[in-house]
């Protein structure tokens, strides 16, 4: 009796695992919309958008906090900075600066802009974090935030890529939006510029760009899935 | 010399100009800018002194990464000393560098540069149409606060997001209740007090930038008590009233039962085999039959004269002179108010002299002690409690008082001479056949031979049973209870003369005899015990002491 228990239990466990895996796979394949109603198939896309937008909002919040802290610590005099010196390395990317402009450009273009921005900030933020952790005057709190910021750019980019994939799968946008070029290409063109940026300017630029990303994502969502909370 | 003169002239000219009071304008100052919906923005400045001359102000701006200095497109839409930038001129995420220059005839003055980004100067108008209602439809009353977004803001395209903040306070209070991070256009506030006026204000922020001004205060008065509370209480009242009314109805409908329960009726006499209805119907024969249905009377000889069936008791002395047997013929019902007529059967049951012993004999020693009316009555009472009065089981020797029957029997026997001797006038507790075993010597009764209204004759020498009767007799004469008639004189062996006044119930009126009998009964100290039912007393003197009464309800 006891000798038989072990193989029997193993068999049972195996059966249960098979059942669960099959269920999981069927769940993946199963559509949320059984009847394929109009707009119902877009629900997962809307949910994806919501998650991505939340992510970008959090990223912008952190950048805003860090920028405020920098202002407290360093208090750069406004006279010195002026508008000339503040030259963000992402200024080469043409971004719509108003509601109408954002409404006017194509969805694919908007998605590409978002992705470009996200790619452009990946390395600078990483280096920023490195430099911050080396300086003693920054608190651990700030150092953690810069790390979080750098990670979030990575995650957000992946999320936006997933959204773009989904849209392309649903046929909403064309397949022209790819994994926007190679990040290395972007880096080489901009590599010199951002290294010379002061930390404060870098933070200022990133704060602005994260706000842009958040807004563009919202506009994109309301253009593609307008019925889900716009 | 000429140079000095020239300088002096120049100085005088300038002094002359100043003496006119005009001067170039003072330096204006840019106050600030504001964008209410993230699509346009307005900037204001404060002019400096105008120098006494008409002064104009101009605003110039530069945009980040755009070459060229531009002038304000609209000086009028936003009022004086303002510059309104329309949608076409507004760029978000672009730094503007602004300055204002004041011009007059004498010169100009430029303000300091102001750098702004539209995203930094977002400030919306206050929310509109704030309405507050007291909502009583739910189980818990609440304040239903709703408002509209500022009309300029467009939230449909996802360009701008609005976040609201509310504050509520009691009008007379000081502390505000804050509700933050409200994304919807309505709010329900619970825990409101009745009879209080609340003040509500709402404000909003664009994209989490600076807050707008608070909206105008909206007041709402909460009614003193809530409708549903009132409803609940009225329902409770009504539902609690229903059983109360039902109880009252039941009480009224069943008032008889209630009356019975609250004031239980005094149980009527229960004579086994006897029906109260029988008495109501008034047929004496049936009553008598029922009364003595289960009695085991010793057989008695039929009396010759059935008319002679009454026992006459009297206190007057007049009767003494008459033939003691003469009044046998008198038919007076002394016995019961209910006109009890004796049956021949009853007469038959009257015992022969042979049976007289039994009849005379007492069941037990207690009988002797029970001669006193009280004890007798109590015994009777006990008997009545335990069993029908008339029907003691034969094995029971005590407390059986078959009083009426005995009386009747005694009455009958007065007519029969031999019987009279034996049992005439005896009020006895019928014991049954086996009474002989009881101590006969305790017998203290005297025979009553004949009773007239004036006298009660007692035959004492014919008492075969008791030996102690004679001495007893004397004692009886001496120590008669107060409710008995006292023996006045014993005449001879067979005659006793009684006092008149002792027992009022022995009062002589024939008409009043019934009542007297009852009175006699009532006057007995123990009569209260016997108030209901049969309470026949056995008196040592042979008096019929009590009258069976049948209480009818």
């Amino acid at each position: 009796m006891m000798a038989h228990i072990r193989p029997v239990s193993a068999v049972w466990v195996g059966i249960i695992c098979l059942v669960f895996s099959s269920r999981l796979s069927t769940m993946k394949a199963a559509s949320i919309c059984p009847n394929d109603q109009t707009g119902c198939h877009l629900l997962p896309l809307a949910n994806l958008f919501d998650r991505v937008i939340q992510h970008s909002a959090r990223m912008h919040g952190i950048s805003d906090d860090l920028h405020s802290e920098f202002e407290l610590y360093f208090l750069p005099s406004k006279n010195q900075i002026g508008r000339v010196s503040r030259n963000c390395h992402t200024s080469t990317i043409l971004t719509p600066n108003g509601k109408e402009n954002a409404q006017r450009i194509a969805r694919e273009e908007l998605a590409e802009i978002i992705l470009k921005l996200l790619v452009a900030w990946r390395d600078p933020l990483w280096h920023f974090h490195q430099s911050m952790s080396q300086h003693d005057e920054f608190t651990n709190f700030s150092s953690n935030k810069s790390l979080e910021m750098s990670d979030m750019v990575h995650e957000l980019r992946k999320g936006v890529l997933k959204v773009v994939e989904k849209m392309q799968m649903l046929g909403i946008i064309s397949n022209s939006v790819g994994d926007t070029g190679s990040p290395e290409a972007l880096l080489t063109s901009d590599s010199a510029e951002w290294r010379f940026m002061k930390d404060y300017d870098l933070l200022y630029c990133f704060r602005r760009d994260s706000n842009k990303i958040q807004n563009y994502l919202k506009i994109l969502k309301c253009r593609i899935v307008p019925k889900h909370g716009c | 010399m000429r140079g000095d003169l020239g300088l002096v002239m120049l100085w005088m000219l300038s002094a002359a100009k100043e003496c006119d009071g005009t001067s170039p304008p003072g330096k204006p100052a840019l106050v600030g800018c504001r964008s209410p919906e993230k699509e346009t923005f307005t900037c204001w400045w404060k002019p400096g002194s105008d120098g006494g001359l008409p002064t104009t102000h101009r605003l110039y701006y530069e945009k980040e990464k755009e070459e060229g200095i531009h002038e304000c497109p609209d000086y009028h839409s936003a009022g004086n000393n303002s510059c309104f930038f329309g949608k076409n001129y507004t760029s978000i995420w672009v730094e503007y560098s602004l300055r204002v220059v004041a011009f007059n005839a004498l010169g100009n003055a430029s303000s300091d540069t102001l750098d702004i980004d539209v995203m930094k100067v977002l400030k919306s108008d206050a929310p509109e149409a704030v309405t507050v209602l007291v909502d009583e439809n739910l189980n818990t009353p609440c304040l239903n606060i709703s408002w509209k977004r500022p009309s300029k803001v467009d939230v449909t395209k996802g360009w701008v997001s609005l976040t609201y903040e509310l504050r509520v306070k009691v009008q007379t209070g000081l502390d505000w209740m804050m509700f933050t991070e409200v994304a919807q256009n309505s709010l329900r506030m619970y825990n409101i007090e009745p009879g209080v006026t609340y003040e509500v204000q709402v404000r909003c922020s664009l994209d989490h930038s600076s807050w707008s001004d608070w909206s105008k205060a909206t007041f709402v008065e909460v009614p003193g008590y809530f409708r549903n509370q009132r409803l609940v209480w009225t329902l409770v009242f009504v539902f609690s009233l229903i059983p109360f009314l039902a109880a009252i109805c039941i009480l009224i409908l069943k008032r008889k039962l209630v009356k019975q329960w609250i004031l239980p009726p005094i149980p009527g006499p229960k004579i086994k085999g006897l029906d109260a209805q029988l008495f109501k119907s008034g047929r004496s024969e049936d009553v008598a039959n029922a009364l003595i249905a289960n009695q085991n009377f010793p057989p008695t000889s039929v009396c010759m004269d059935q008319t002679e069936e009454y026992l006459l008791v009297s206190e007057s002395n007049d009767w003494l002179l008459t033939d003691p047997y003469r009044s046998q013929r008198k038919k007076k019902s002394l016995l019961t108010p209910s006109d009890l007529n004796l049956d021949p059967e009853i007469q038959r049951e009257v015992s022969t002299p042979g049976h007289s012993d039994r009849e005379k004999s007492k069941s037990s020693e207690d009988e002797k002690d029970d001669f006193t009316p009280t004890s007798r009555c109590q015994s009777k009472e006990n008997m009545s409690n335990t069993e029908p009065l008339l029907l003691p089981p034969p094995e029971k020797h005590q407390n059986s008082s078959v009083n009426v029957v005995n009386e009747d029997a005694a009455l009958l026997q007065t007519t029969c001479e031999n019987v009279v001797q034996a049992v005439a006038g005896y009020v006895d507790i019928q014991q049954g056949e086996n009474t002989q075993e009881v101590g006969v010597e305790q017998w203290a009764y005297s025979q009553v031979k004949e009773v007239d209204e004036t006298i009660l004759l007692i035959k004492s020498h014919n008492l075969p049973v008791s030996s102690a009767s004679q001495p007893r007799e004397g004692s009886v004469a001496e120590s008669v209870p107060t409710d008995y008639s006292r023996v006045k004189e014993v005449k001879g062996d067979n005659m006793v003369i009684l006092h008149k006044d002792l027992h009022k119930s022995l009062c002589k009126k024939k008409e009043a005899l019934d009542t007297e009998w009852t009175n006699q009964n009532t006057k007995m100290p123990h009569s209260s015990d016997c108030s209901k039912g049969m309470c026949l007393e056995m008196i040592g003197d042979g008096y019929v002491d009590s009258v069976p009464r049948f209480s009818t309800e």
Side-chain angles (χ1 to χ4, degrees), chain A residues 82-83 86-88 91 96-100 102-103 204 207-208 211-212 215-216 218-219 222 230, chain B residues 38-39 62-65 87 91-95 97 117 119-120 154-159 161 207:
Chain A
R83 54 188 178 85
R86 194 178 296 134
N87 204 1
C88 299
S91 53
N97 289 328
K99 184 175 118 183
E100 282 79 20
Q103 294 272 323
Y204 180 87
R207 187 178 79 154
R208 197 163 71 177
N211 200 8
K212 278 186 187 177
N215 271 269
Y216 295 154
K218 280 188 194 173
I219 286 177
C222 284
C230 267
Chain B
K38 208 168 140 187
E39 293 171 36
E62 282 179 83
K63 283 169 86 168
E64 180 189 349
K65 307 235 171 31
K87 286 185 184 180
S91 300
I92 318 293
W93 302 299
V94 167
E95 286 255 341
S97 184
D117 188 345
M119 285 301 290
K120 286 186 188 172
D154 178 16
V155 289
T156 56
K157 306 289 190 303
W159 179 240
S161 64
D207 280 359

Side-chain angles (χ1 to χ4, degrees), chain B residues 169-173 193-199 218-222:
Chain B
K169 81 169 165 88
V170 178
Q171 188 180 18
T172 54
E193 299 169 22
V196 164
T197 304
Y198 284 96
E199 184 181 335
T218 310
F219 297 93
V220 68
E221 187 177 347
V222 181

Side-chain angles (χ1 to χ4, degrees), chain A:
Chain A
M1 173 72 172
M2 294 293 289
H4 292 295
I5 283 180
R6 271 207 169 165
V8 167
S9 60
V11 167
W12 274 113
V13 167
I15 288 170
I16 288 166
C17 287
L18 274 173
V19 167
F20 271 116
S21 60
S22 66
R23 291 195 94 206
L24 281 170
S25 60
T26 52
M27 274 163 60
K28 265 188 185 174
S31 164
I32 293 175
C33 313
N35 298 330
D36 200 31
Q37 298 142 7
T38 54
C40 180
H41 62 287
L42 295 173
L43 189 62
L45 185 64
N47 291 341
L48 265 176
F49 261 117
D50 284 337
R51 285 173 62 174
V52 159
I53 288 167
Q54 275 180 12
H55 216 111
S56 68
R58 175 150 174 79
M59 193 173 74
H60 174 66
I62 294 173
S63 71
D64 206 3
D65 293 341
L66 263 179
H67 181 260
S68 310
E69 274 185 53
F70 252 76
E71 274 185 322
L72 288 173
Y73 277 120
F74 292 104
L75 292 170
S77 61
K78 297 227 159 86
N79 295 335
Q80 285 177 9
I81 288 181
R83 54 188 178 85
V84 182
S85 60
R86 194 178 296 134
N87 204 1
C88 299
H89 70 289
T90 53
S91 53
T92 54
I93 305 171
L94 289 171
T95 57
N97 289 328
K99 184 175 118 183
E100 282 79 20
N101 293 342
Q103 294 272 323
R104 231 176 277 144
I105 71 170
R107 301 176 198 169
E108 293 87 347
E109 206 175 323
L110 198 55
E112 271 211 48
I113 288 166
I114 294 167
L115 283 168
K116 275 186 193 172
L117 284 171
L118 285 167
V119 166
W121 278 105
R122 196 175 53 185
D123 285 334
L125 281 178
W126 172 249
H127 283 95
F128 174 74
H129 164 66
Q130 296 293 319
S131 69
M132 272 199 77
S133 54
Q134 285 164 11
H135 290 131
D136 292 335
E137 58 265 29
F138 295 121
T139 62
N140 279 340
F141 186 61
S142 301
S143 174
N144 288 342
K145 274 193 181 167
S146 62
L147 178 64
E148 198 177 344
M149 224 161 54
S150 146
D151 286 341
M152 277 185 136
V153 166
H154 276 268
E155 296 299 324
L156 193 59
R157 180 171 160 267
K158 287 183 197 168
V160 174
L161 279 172
K162 277 220 174 74
V163 171
V164 166
E165 257 180 57
K166 185 95 184 162
M167 285 198 290
Q168 285 170 343
M169 204 170 69
L170 290 170
I172 296 169
I173 60 173
S174 65
N175 290 336
S176 61
V177 183
D179 198 351
T180 52
S182 56
E184 291 75 15
L186 272 171
L187 264 175
T188 49
S189 62
D190 296 338
S191 58
E193 281 190 41
W194 58 263
R195 285 177 203 278
F196 294 121
M197 275 171 69
K198 291 181 192 169
D199 289 339
Y200 177 74
D201 290 340
L202 195 136
L203 278 175
Y204 180 87
C205 289
F206 181 66
R207 187 178 79 154
R208 197 163 71 177
D209 286 343
S210 60
N211 200 8
K212 278 186 187 177
I213 290 165
Q214 184 184 4
N215 271 269
Y216 295 154
L217 282 170
K218 280 188 194 173
I219 286 177
L220 202 60
K221 181 201 169 187
C222 284
R223 279 172 72 174
I224 290 171
V225 281
K227 288 180 188 167
H228 298 272
C230 267

Side-chain angles (χ1 to χ4, degrees), chain B residues 160-179:
Chain B
V160 155
S161 64
L162 275 171
T163 317
Y164 298 99
E165 193 176 77
L166 277 101
R167 67 178 185 183
V168 181
K169 81 169 165 88
V170 178
Q171 188 180 18
T172 54
L174 293 171
D175 296 326
W176 289 97
M177 276 176 283
M178 303 296 293
F179 298 91

Side-chain angles (χ1 to χ4, degrees), chain B residues 133-138 140-147 166 168 179 182 184-192:
Chain B
L133 298 166
V134 181
D135 194 350
E136 292 180 21
N137 292 332
L138 309 171
T140 53
C142 62
L143 284 182
N144 206 348
I145 308 169
S146 64
W147 57 88
L166 277 101
V168 181
F179 298 91
V182 179
Q184 298 83 24
N185 279 39
S186 62
L187 185 89
R188 275 184 197 276
M189 191 183 109
Y190 295 92
N191 290 339
I192 56 174

Side-chain angles (χ1 to χ4, degrees), chain B residues 371 373 480-486 502-503 538-539 541 543 545:
Chain B
F371 284 160
V480 68
T482 52
D483 46 359
Y484 292 99
S485 295
R486 211 175 342 145
L502 274 183
H503 215 319
M538 292 187 56
I539 315 171
D541 302 338
Y543 279 122
D545 192 50

